[in-house]
């Protein structure tokens, strides 16, 4: 018996459905942020450096390198510059909208899982008065929304994540990362959400990880991780290339080749992330999302404590 695996690329949802879905995500993400994540989010990310706070009179023992010579000359007394840590952050959501995101073997497309996780981080940023921006990419830049504050802006981003229709089906992480490195000027938190089904992007990835707080998020469907243990066939179509083939679930060689290819791909990603000391998340469905976020925060807090 053949099992059809659809890759729908048409209208994802009608306007009324979209508004309902946005509202659901707003409520659930807002509740989780208030109860769990808002404090953790800000505690594990660095500010953008130091900003000038005020000038005060010099006190013996102060660092002479902090003397404000302009104010001192104008007022005839020695003044020192005081600084404080600049805590405002910018969160850039960089999301893969290639055709493979519109696949789901359970109740949700990978694209919906991506939107829910993005909303969780976006509302955490909102709670901490930080800016949020959005970059959507396929094998080219599809949409760029500059970072801003405010709930209305966050809701617009969620709507785009749920309803945006890309003009291209492919994936090009190199082009995406080069775009991020070019247009995101200031040090930012960059949440990169993709299934990472691409090659040759290591160089711009490394550059982005040095310039920003880069968080890779691998989004996969359960069927892409483990083929069902049953007899029969899967009629499969690659949504990015249009290539079609039939997968024989009873073929041991085919199953082993699938397992080997998947392990090699995962190992290469793990090595890349480890070489840059990057914590990452791995989502295969919406049910494990909270566990992955909590795990990420714990790992990052642990590393910051050591370093």
């Amino acid at each position: 018996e053949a099992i059809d695996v659809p890759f729908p690329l048409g209208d994802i949802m009608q306007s009324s459905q979209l508004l309902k879905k946005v509202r659901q995500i707003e409520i659930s993400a807002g509740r989780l942020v208030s109860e769990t994540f808002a404090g953790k989010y800000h505690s594990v990310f660095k500010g953008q450096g130091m900003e000038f706070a005020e000038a005060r009179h010099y006190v013996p023992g102060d660092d002479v390198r902090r003397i404000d010579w302009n104010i001192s000359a104008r007022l005839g007394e020695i003044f020192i510059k005081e600084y404080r840590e600049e805590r405002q952050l910018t969160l850039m959501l960089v999301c893969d909208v290639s055709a493979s995101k519109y696949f789901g073997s359970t109740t949700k497309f990978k694209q919906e899982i991506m939107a829910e996780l993005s909303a969780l981080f976006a509302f955490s940023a909102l709670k901490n008065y930080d800016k949020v921006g959005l970059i959507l990419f396929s094998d080219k830049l599809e949409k760029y929304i500059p970072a801003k504050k405010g709930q209305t802006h966050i809701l617009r981003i969620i709507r785009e994540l749920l309803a945006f229709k890309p003009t291209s089906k492919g994936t090009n992480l190199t082009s995406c990362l080069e775009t991020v490195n070019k247009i995101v000027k200031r040090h930012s938190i960059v949440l990169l959400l993709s299934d990472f089904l691409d090659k040759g992007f290591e160089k711009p990835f490394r550059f982005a990880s040095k310039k920003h707080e880069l968080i890779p998020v691998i989004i996969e469907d359960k069927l892409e991780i483990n083929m069902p243990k049953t007899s029969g066939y899967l009629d499969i179509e690659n949504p990015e290339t249009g290539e079609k083939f039939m997968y024989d679930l009873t073929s041991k060689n085919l199953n082993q080749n699938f397992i080997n290819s998947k392990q090699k791909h995962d190992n290469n990603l793990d090595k890349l992330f480890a070489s840059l000391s990057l914590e990452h998340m791995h989502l295969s469905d919406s049910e494990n999302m909270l566990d992955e976020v909590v795990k990420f925060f714990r790992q990052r807090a642990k590393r910051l404590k050591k370093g």
Side-chain angles (χ1 to χ4, degrees):
E1 181 183 359
I3 306 171
D4 291 323
V5 181
F7 293 91
L9 295 172
D11 292 341
I12 302 304
M13 55 185 74
Q14 299 298 320
S15 181
S16 59
Q17 292 176 306
L18 175 61
L19 291 174
K20 183 178 179 181
K21 185 65 179 177
V22 170
R23 181 59 178 158
Q24 288 174 342
I25 291 177
E26 179 188 9
I27 292 171
S28 60
R31 185 178 66 250
L32 287 170
V33 167
S34 296
E35 294 174 355
T36 310
F37 295 119
K40 289 185 175 64
Y41 161 88
H42 227 225
S43 67
V44 298
F45 294 113
K46 304 171 185 176
Q48 297 178 17
M50 305 299 289
E51 63 179 349
F52 176 74
E54 61 180 354
R56 63 165 175 80
H57 282 95
Y58 173 82
V59 175
D62 283 337
D63 187 345
V64 295
R65 291 173 298 181
R66 290 166 48 201
I67 293 176
D68 189 323
W69 295 107
N70 290 330
I71 294 179
S72 298
R74 189 166 66 246
L75 299 179
E77 299 177 82
I78 300 178
F79 280 80
I80 292 288
K81 293 179 180 179
E82 288 279 19
Y83 294 88
R84 62 170 173 251
E85 185 180 7
E86 185 180 357
R87 288 301 298 161
Q88 186 181 90
L89 301 167
T90 297
L91 170 66
M92 288 302 305
L93 302 169
V94 182
C95 301
D96 183 348
V97 291
S98 60
S100 60
K101 299 304 153 305
Y102 302 97
F103 169 68
S105 63
T106 55
T107 59
K108 293 180 180 178
F109 293 146
K110 290 189 285 185
Q111 167 238 20
E112 292 179 80
I113 298 171
M114 180 172 66
E116 290 176 0
L117 181 66
S118 296
L120 188 58
F121 271 77
F123 277 105
S124 293
L126 177 68
K127 190 84 170 179
N128 288 283
Y129 308 103
D130 293 335
K131 296 179 180 179
V132 181
L134 178 67
I135 292 176
L136 302 178
F137 72 95
S138 54
D139 54 9
K140 63 180 181 179
L141 176 64
E142 294 278 356
K143 194 174 190 68
Y144 169 50
I145 300 177
K148 288 174 57 177
K149 296 180 183 180
Q151 185 162 341
T152 301
H153 179 69
I154 300 299
L155 294 176
R156 177 198 173 189
I157 284 176
I158 296 172
R159 285 196 300 272
E160 291 285 359
L161 284 166
L162 289 170
F164 184 81
K165 297 177 183 178
T167 59
S168 185
K169 297 180 180 181
T171 303
N172 190 323
L173 282 166
T174 296
S175 174
C176 160
L177 289 161
E178 288 174 347
T179 299
V180 170
N181 294 333
K182 182 178 180 180
I183 67 177
V184 184
K185 302 294 185 182
R186 302 192 71 185
H187 176 87
S188 303
I189 305 166
V190 175
L191 195 69
L192 176 59
L193 301 102
S194 175
D195 49 21
F196 289 85
L197 296 177
D198 196 14
K199 297 178 181 179
F201 58 86
E202 290 80 8
K203 185 176 179 180
F205 186 93
R206 290 179 183 277
F207 185 84
S209 72
K210 294 176 181 178
K211 184 178 180 181
H212 302 291
E213 299 284 331
L214 183 60
I215 308 169
V217 183
I218 305 167
I219 299 181
E220 297 179 309
D221 186 83
K222 288 183 176 181
L223 195 59
E224 295 171 317
I225 300 172
N226 291 304
M227 284 294 176
K229 295 180 180 179
T230 183
S231 59
Y233 299 88
L234 283 177
D235 289 328
I236 297 177
E237 177 180 343
N238 186 318
E240 297 189 11
T241 65
E243 179 186 4
K244 297 180 180 180
F245 58 95
M246 184 174 288
Y247 192 102
D248 182 0
L249 295 171
T250 62
S251 172
K252 292 183 178 180
N253 289 336
L254 199 59
N255 285 334
Q256 191 59 50
N257 289 339
F258 173 82
I259 293 170
N260 293 341
S261 177
K262 183 71 174 63
Q263 286 180 342
K264 183 178 179 181
H265 175 261
D266 291 349
N267 289 339
N268 288 338
L269 285 178
D270 287 341
K271 288 179 182 177
L272 176 62
F273 300 157
S275 70
L276 298 169
S277 300
L278 294 182
E279 296 84 11
H280 67 280
M281 285 178 268
H282 197 150
L283 304 180
S284 57
D285 57 52
S286 58
E287 294 176 3
N288 73 339
M289 183 174 70
L290 298 183
D291 292 338
E292 279 294 310
V293 176
V294 170
K295 177 183 174 183
F296 165 78
F297 281 133
R298 286 175 178 169
Q299 288 176 337
R300 187 170 181 83
K302 185 177 180 180
R303 180 167 67 87
L304 291 175
K305 189 176 181 181
K306 286 183 179 179

